[in-house]
Amino acid sequence: MPTLLWDPPADRINRSNMFAFMHAVNRKYNKQFTTYAALYDWSVTHIADFWETWWHWAGIITSAPYTQVVDDPEKMPGADWFPGARLNFAENLLRHRDTRTAIIFKGENRPVEHMSHQALCMQVARLAGALRAMGVTAGDRVVGFMPNMPHTVVAMLAAASIGALWSSCSPDFGVQGVIDRFGQIRPKVLFTADGYRFKGKPIDSLGRVADIVAKIPTIEKVVVAPYLDPAPDVSAVPGAVGFDAFLPPPPGPPLSFAQLPFAHPLFIMYSSGTTGLPKCMVQSAGGILVHHLKELVLHTDLGKEDIIFYYTTCGWMMWNWLVSSLAVGAAIVLYDGNPFHPDPGALWQLAQDEGITVFGTSAGYIAALQKTGLRPKDRYDLSPLRTVLSTGAPLPEEGFVFIYDAVKPDVQLSSIAGGTDLNGCFALGNPMGPVYAGEIQCRGLAMSVLAYDEEGRPVFDRQGELVCTKAFPSMPIYFWDDPDGWKYHAAYFDVYPGVWRHGDFIEINNRGGVVIYGRSDATLNPGGVRIGTADIYRRVERFDEIADSVVVGQPWDNDIRVILFVKLMPGCDLTPALADRIRAAIRNDISPRHVPAKILPVPDIPYTRNMKKVEVAVRKIIQGQPVHNKTALSNPEVLDHYADIPELKTP
């Protein structure tokens, strides 16, 4: 039985948005639900009723009503959501126009900046006017190669107010990585900054921007926000203009919002691109709006008095998710830079100074923080903090325990799991439920998530493929340049027809909790038994000598053997004694099948720019296969260390 770490007190449950929504369902449908499990079961068997109730409870702003909720929730892909409704995504996010704080921004070596909802609306109105004046219309693409700063939020909302599609990459992408993404969607306007800072070092962006513009001829205008220099020289970039110079004089035109169908495209997101050109996933304005609000308001229990932070770049879907918090009236906190600069307490100092109530980060950050020895609760006043969110990789049990021991004992720790594909979560937090070590609290409302065995049958209390058997509004409406839908179908529906196969290896227990075991395309099969890589990571991360690790399967002697690569802490060596201790721990705590045949030291572990370990690329390298599109990786050079390793050619 997993360790119970937190159980919400009755008063906290009764104050939660989830509790209020459950009772709204009870009143409307004459139900007597008292638990999340009962509400969840109803939500996945009454898909249309759930989304209709949520639509009105959330107060979605529209100019024309829908004629039905969904034509057929069993149809995947292709379900038609809320036909007839006309709305605008930006209008829903900008519904709050008072002087309360909307955006808090902190960059390395910069003082904190605050922007009110009122000021945000004025900036969006002026920028939207400038975009319209240069000919941007609904359906055009507007892109950002931007730091995580307020100008980025303003640019996205201005584009959305017109009905233009928004897409973004973080400024640490190389030129080819940006071209591989933006080049496919042929944007009209590129927003950028003159540079950014990381670990205290200023990094110029304009040289790369000039190269990008030279390769994407559809870009008519480059709008440059000041970051390193208050008045950057943009003369070397064709078609470039400073951000303020691009705006019309204040007050500018009034806010106006194009009224568009629910399924009008909003975001273009990208797959990791480690197996070829990134797939361009197009997501709808209405689908993203209702899905994000469900996750923020119900599962995160977000309200207008909250201050929500997520450590993310503009190239990760968590940025889009965070910005949607504006629709609730909450203040969003943007941080740009290294989370350990100038010291490991950088983000917790920010949490204390700004009174952050919801703190979001990655499992990798929590593991790295744990190894620094910092105990934030001993140094910072975190009394406003009530929720910690973690995603990007499975959070091991030790990570859960660390948060409750070293950060705060009375927070709701929500490990959340989903993907860029849906711009949201399949499994996430439940403010009415307990937190168990190593376990995601629940499956998301109206997300018909199951674990399938090898024969496509649902299983509980054992590992299987994560599938979703019914449609949900934030599914991509299509892939870019995929006229017959082949790429879209192949991505999710080629294994179980009509059922979304996400590519994660999971277990759903009898309490409704979920454990993620890693990507199913990276599962190990020694002796024909499928095992998840997360099991091994959870055990290896307990060793103080190990900074990070990656585990893959290697074909060997008509079977698969487990290979563990470890990045060692400074001053540590992979001695035979340490290797023996690692093997013994894995054998005793997991199973003999998980024990690595080889444990090998490497200088670093490869990651995508979305903070995912690249197990598949490592597996290909050690098998002598090519890895395409290395620009998708944040540190592609480390793959060279995995090629032609003599130890992998011997028993």
Side-chain angles (χ1 to χ4, degrees), residues 199-535:
K199 294 184 179 179
K201 178 184 176 183
I203 301 172
D204 174 76
S205 293
L206 294 182
R208 283 174 294 149
V209 170
D211 293 338
I212 291 164
V213 173
K215 296 289 182 65
I216 306 179
T218 59
I219 296 175
E220 298 177 11
K221 185 71 69 177
V222 178
V223 184
V224 182
Y227 193 104
L228 298 178
D229 188 324
D233 179 3
V234 301
S235 59
V237 180
V241 61
F243 193 96
D244 290 340
F246 185 61
L247 299 176
L255 268 174
S256 64
F257 303 100
Q259 298 301 304
L260 302 159
F262 182 92
H264 184 79
L266 170 71
F267 293 142
I268 301 177
M269 310 294 289
Y270 303 99
S271 66
S272 61
T274 54
T275 57
L277 276 180
K279 299 179 183 68
C280 306
M281 301 171 284
V282 184
Q283 299 164 344
S284 73
I288 294 300
L289 178 66
V290 298
H291 192 82
H292 279 185
L293 286 181
K294 178 200 73 171
E295 295 184 344
L296 290 162
V297 174
L298 298 182
H299 289 279
T300 314
D301 200 31
L302 195 72
K304 67 178 182 179
E305 302 305 321
D306 278 307
I307 299 172
I308 180 171
F309 163 76
Y310 220 102
Y311 178 69
T312 180
T313 70
C314 302
W316 191 19
M317 57 141 293
M318 295 312 301
W319 182 85
N320 307 72
W321 191 88
L322 171 67
V323 173
S324 289
S325 303
L326 292 169
V328 183
I332 63 172
V333 181
L334 310 178
Y335 178 84
D336 192 73
N338 183 280
F340 294 99
H341 181 82
D343 58 65
L347 299 186
W348 301 102
Q349 183 72 55
L350 181 63
Q352 171 186 274
D353 293 348
E354 301 302 327
I356 288 172
T357 59
V358 180
F359 184 104
T361 187
S362 66
Y365 169 82
I366 293 173
L369 180 69
Q370 189 173 359
K371 290 184 182 295
T372 68
L374 176 70
R375 294 171 54 83
K377 75 174 187 180
D378 297 340
R379 189 178 300 179
Y380 305 100
D381 177 8
L382 302 176
S383 50
L385 182 65
R386 59 176 179 80
T387 304
V388 174
L389 307 173
S390 170
T391 192
L395 183 64
E397 292 183 14
E398 293 75 19
F400 278 77
V401 172
F402 173 76
I403 293 297
Y404 284 96
D405 178 56
V407 176
K408 202 176 182 195
D410 62 347
V411 294
Q412 177 193 355
L413 173 55
S414 295
S415 179
I416 62 179
T420 303
D421 327 62
L422 62 152
N423 214 314
C425 304
F426 285 118
L428 66 173
N430 168 22
M432 295 171 55
V435 174
Y436 291 90
E439 188 176 298
I440 300 174
Q441 288 180 282
C442 65
R443 292 167 286 175
L445 290 171
M447 303 298 280
S448 183
V449 173
L450 293 169
Y452 271 11
D453 66 12
E454 294 84 349
E455 281 73 45
R457 298 172 300 199
V459 293
F460 291 86
D461 291 313
R462 53 172 287 205
Q463 298 176 19
E465 286 273 1
L466 190 163
V467 300
C468 193
T469 64
K470 295 180 182 178
F472 48 93
S474 70
M475 291 172 59
I477 46 178
Y478 55 85
F479 281 12
W480 196 262
D481 282 340
D482 183 29
D484 60 0
W486 180 87
K487 292 179 186 176
Y488 190 2
H489 187 275
Y492 312 110
F493 304 106
D494 60 345
V495 176
Y496 309 113
V499 171
W500 178 293
R501 172 183 172 269
H502 191 60
D504 280 342
F505 206 38
I506 71 165
E507 180 177 333
I508 303 170
N509 62 35
N510 56 15
R511 292 191 308 277
V514 179
V515 177
I516 307 289
Y517 290 95
R519 295 292 298 169
S520 57
D521 57 6
T523 54
L524 311 172
N525 294 274
V529 178
R530 299 181 79 198
I531 59 178
T533 55
D535 281 322

Side-chain angles (χ1 to χ4, degrees), residues 18-19 22 26 32-41 430 432:
M18 186 75 80
F19 186 85
M22 180 176 69
N26 285 343
Q32 289 82 41
F33 300 143
T34 60
T35 65
Y36 179 82
L39 179 64
Y40 172 79
D41 288 344
N430 168 22
M432 295 171 55

Side-chain angles (χ1 to χ4, degrees), residues 71-80 471 475 498:
D71 60 344
D72 182 3
E74 307 282 344
K75 184 168 63 176
M76 283 201 292
D80 187 13
M475 291 172 59

Side-chain angles (χ1 to χ4, degrees), residues 33-250:
F33 300 143
T34 60
T35 65
Y36 179 82
L39 179 64
Y40 172 79
D41 288 344
W42 172 82
S43 75
V44 294
T45 53
H46 297 77
I47 295 284
D49 289 344
F50 169 83
W51 285 111
E52 180 173 46
T53 306
W54 174 243
W55 178 280
H56 295 289
W57 205 84
I60 303 300
I61 299 171
T62 64
S63 60
Y66 56 83
T67 55
Q68 67 177 139
V69 175
V70 60
D71 60 344
D72 182 3
E74 307 282 344
K75 184 168 63 176
M76 283 201 292
D80 187 13
W81 291 94
F82 295 100
R86 298 188 76 84
L87 54 79
N88 186 276
F89 180 81
E91 183 176 14
N92 278 271
L93 266 63
L94 296 174
R95 66 177 71 192
H96 304 276
R97 303 179 188 180
D98 50 35
T99 56
R100 293 180 306 111
T101 298
I103 299 176
I104 300 167
F105 170 54
K106 177 71 173 77
E108 284 188 9
N109 302 95
R110 297 172 66 104
V112 174
E113 301 173 21
H114 293 78
M115 177 183 284
S116 69
H117 289 278
Q118 183 182 73
L120 174 62
C121 290
M122 291 176 60
Q123 282 283 85
V124 171
R126 292 176 68 198
L127 183 55
L131 290 172
R132 286 191 178 96
M134 67 156 288
V136 174
T137 61
D140 285 337
R141 277 75 63 204
V142 175
V143 297
F145 181 57
M146 293 282 286
N148 187 18
M149 61 192 299
H151 296 76
T152 317
V153 178
V154 171
M156 183 275 284
L157 291 171
S161 73
I162 298 169
L165 285 67
W166 172 263
S167 191
S168 57
C169 290
S170 60
D172 59 342
F173 270 61
V175 171
Q176 191 57 50
V178 177
I179 293 169
D180 287 347
R181 289 158 176 79
F182 294 167
Q184 294 188 69
I185 65 172
R186 301 178 289 279
K188 180 176 281 190
V189 184
L190 169 68
F191 283 88
T192 190
D194 59 322
Y196 60 100
R197 291 184 183 274
F198 197 77
K199 294 184 179 179
K201 178 184 176 183
I203 301 172
D204 174 76
S205 293
L206 294 182
R208 283 174 294 149
V209 170
D211 293 338
I212 291 164
V213 173
K215 296 289 182 65
I216 306 179
T218 59
I219 296 175
E220 298 177 11
K221 185 71 69 177
V222 178
V223 184
V224 182
Y227 193 104
L228 298 178
D229 188 324
D233 179 3
V234 301
S235 59
V237 180
V241 61
F243 193 96
D244 290 340
F246 185 61
L247 299 176

